[in-house]
């Protein structure tokens, strides 16, 4: 990452930064790809490599993405997968190298076995965000210290933001 | 107040002419209640922003209607403006707040969510479809969210309901809830005019008019 151009205001600078970021990420995890259709730089990584990639994004002196400002999931029933989204920003680093730059890291886990490594050892705030995602989607985070429901009652059955969720309270739209 | 409202009807009613006196007392009590509604600080989503615009911001001043004393404790409030979506987890708290409020208590439901569930009526695992499933509502103010003008119109409607609908003979008994939709084309100026008419119609202003005929402030009030 030492040779990568700094992200500029112009489009060309950002594209160059994205390519350099991709090259560095592929050195860690070769299956990483850059997503085309995205409003920000998006790295798609295999689920097994998420902790490694996140550790690198936070610790690399040229990047220092020290804030995980959102973590959520998307349910794709047709493709039988949950897409997990990690939104990163660099706010503490005095060097304006990655300032004003947001990077998205996505990965996918199968719907019938949604297990992934936790990142709360990297960003402590992830402990709460992963609890919320567990609450709503039922993603299981290995090595999470306290994986309980966050918003819903403890005895709630099912995960309401899954597309196939149903309960007695819900009202169907009359046709 | 509690002694008057509880004991007075039974004492006055048998007396000759007591019924007429009681009607006058009713008018006095209803007038004072309608002009001193103390809302509870209660907002659960975007409608609360409009409520804050109505009660705390510069342009729209809810204190013109005697309802600016927004209390942080339900025990000091007698009006709850349900501003925002009510979800399953909030419903018991809303019920508790309502039951803690001082009698007589009034409820204004603002916005689509509190009227019927709004955009979350279908396929929602948590949104209560109408706040009236939890507590009785007096005035519904439609809108998504309603503008402060609409909220004021609902407040005026509630004041009218209190003035015309209540009697010490039947404490706790009120008129049926109403839908207070702001008529098409109505503006804040129209509401101010209506409020001005109400003020002029109130006894205190009328009496002062006779006493202070020609006084500068009486003329200013008319020109306002």
């Amino acid at each position: 990452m030492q040779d990568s151009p700094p992200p500029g205001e112009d489009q060309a600078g950002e594209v160059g930064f994205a390519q350099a970021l991709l090259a560095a990420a592929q050195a860690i995890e070769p299956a990483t790809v850059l997503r085309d259709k995205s409003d920000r730089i998006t790295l798609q990584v295999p689920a097994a490599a998420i902790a490694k990639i996140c550790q690198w994004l936070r610790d690399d002196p040229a990047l220092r993405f020290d804030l995980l400002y959102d973590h959520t999931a998307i349910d794709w029933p047709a493709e039988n997968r949950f897409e997990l989204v990690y939104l990163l920003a660099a706010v503490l680093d005095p060097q304006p190298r990655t300032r004003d730059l947001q990077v998205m890291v996505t990965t996918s886990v199968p719907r019938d076995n949604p297990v992934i490594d936790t990142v709360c050892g990297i960003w402590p705030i992830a402990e709460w965000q992963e609890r919320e995602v567990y609450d709503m989607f039922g993603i299981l985070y290995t090595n999470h210290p306290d994986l309980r429901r966050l918003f819903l009652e403890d005895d709630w059955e099912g995960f309401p933001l899954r597309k196939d969720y149903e309960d007695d309270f819900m009202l169907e739209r009359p046709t | 107040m509690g002694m008057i409202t509880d004991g007075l009807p039974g004492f006055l009613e048998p007396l000759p002419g007591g019924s007429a006196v009681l009607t006058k007392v009713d008018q006095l009590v209803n007038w004072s209640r309608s002009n001193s509604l103390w809302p509870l600080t209660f907002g659960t989503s975007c409608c609360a922003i409009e409520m804050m615009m109505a009660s705390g911001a510069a342009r729209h001043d809810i204190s013109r209607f005697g309802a600016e004393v927004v209390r942080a404790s339900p025990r000091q409030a007698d009006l709850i403006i349900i501003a925002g979506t009510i979800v399953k987890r909030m419903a018991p708290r809303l019920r508790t707040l309502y039951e803690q409020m001082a009698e007589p208590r009034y409820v204004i439901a603002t916005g689509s969510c509190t009227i019927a569930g709004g955009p979350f009526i279908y396929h929602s695992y948590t949104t209560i479809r109408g706040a009236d499933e939890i507590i009785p509502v007096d005035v519904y103010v439609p809108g998504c969210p309603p503008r402060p003008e609409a909220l004021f119109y609902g407040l005026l409607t509630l004041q009218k309901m209190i003035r015309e609908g209540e009697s010490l003979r039947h404490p706790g008994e009120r008129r049926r809830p109403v839908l207070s939709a702001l008529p098409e084309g109505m503006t804040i100026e129209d509401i101010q005019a209506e409020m001005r008419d109400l003020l002029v119609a109130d006894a205190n202003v009328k009496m002062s008019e006779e006493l202070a005929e020609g006084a500068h402030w009486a003329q200013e009030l008319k020109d306002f």
Side-chain angles (χ1 to χ4, degrees), chain B residues 86-204:
Chain B
I86 303 299
V87 295
K88 269 189 193 170
R89 297 279 308 245
M90 198 64 192
R93 280 82 179 172
L94 176 62
R95 182 80 213 179
T96 308
L97 284 172
Y98 177 75
E99 284 172 358
Q100 283 176 340
M101 271 160 49
E103 291 265 17
R105 49 204 174 198
Y106 308 97
V107 180
I108 295 179
T110 63
S112 306
C113 294
T114 57
I115 293 172
F120 312 109
I121 184 165
Y122 301 123
H123 302 294
S124 170
Y125 60 96
T126 186
T127 305
I128 302 292
R129 291 178 279 272
D132 46 10
E133 293 191 5
I134 312 299
I135 57 176
V137 173
D138 292 303
V139 176
Y140 296 94
V141 180
C144 191
R147 288 180 57 81
E149 289 95 305
L151 179 57
F152 289 163
Y153 197 74
L155 193 66
L156 285 174
T157 309
L158 180 65
Q159 290 185 338
K160 273 183 201 163
M161 277 176 72
I162 295 170
R163 279 178 213 192
E164 294 166 12
E166 285 194 57
S167 169
L168 294 180
R169 296 184 187 92
H170 315 288
E173 200 174 283
R174 282 200 298 277
R175 291 192 165 184
R176 284 168 52 213
V178 293
L179 181 73
S180 167
L182 194 64
E184 189 88 14
M186 193 146 187
T187 61
I188 186 79
E189 283 75 24
D190 296 330
I191 295 174
Q192 282 172 347
E194 184 168 345
M195 181 202 65
R196 191 164 60 239
D197 292 344
L198 278 175
L199 271 178
V200 172
D202 271 348
N204 57 343

